[in-house]
């Protein structure tokens, strides 16, 4: 059963990356059409979406790798 949970989590990572980049690009296209600055916000949205995707990947995969720093060290 644990293998299925891992497979579902990794599938979720793929969808998360796709959605982050897509939202960044579509947001950039919308802003460029609204403001008339064609390549600027598309590129900015792509970069922001990519950084958000990599940050999300780190947060989702770190507990699987044993590098989870978000739960505290147990000291104190």
């Amino acid at each position: 059963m644990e293998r299925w949970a891992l497979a579902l989590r990794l599938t979720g990572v793929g969808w998360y990356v796709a959605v982050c980049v897509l939202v960044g690009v579509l947001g950039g296209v919308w802003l460029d059409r609204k403001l008339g600055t064609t390549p600027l916000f598309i590129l900015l949205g792509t970069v922001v979406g990519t950084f958000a995707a990599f940050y999300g990947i780190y947060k989702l995969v770190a507990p699987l790798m044993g590098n989870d720093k978000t739960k505290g060290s147990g000291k104190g």
Side-chain angles (χ1 to χ4, degrees), residues 15-71:
W15 278 104
Y16 182 80
V17 170
V19 168
C20 283
V21 173
L22 188 65
V23 166
V25 170
L26 292 178
V29 168
W30 179 76
L31 276 173
D32 277 337
R33 286 185 181 166
K34 193 107 170 135
L35 301 174
T37 56
T38 300
L40 178 65
F41 287 109
I42 293 173
L43 294 173
L44 189 62
T46 303
V47 169
V48 169
T50 302
F51 277 118
F54 278 111
Y55 180 74
I57 288 172
Y58 174 74
K59 287 298 203 180
L60 288 170
V61 175
L64 299 175
M65 302 293 286
N67 298 332
D68 190 13
K69 306 232 186 225
T70 59
K71 292 184 180 179

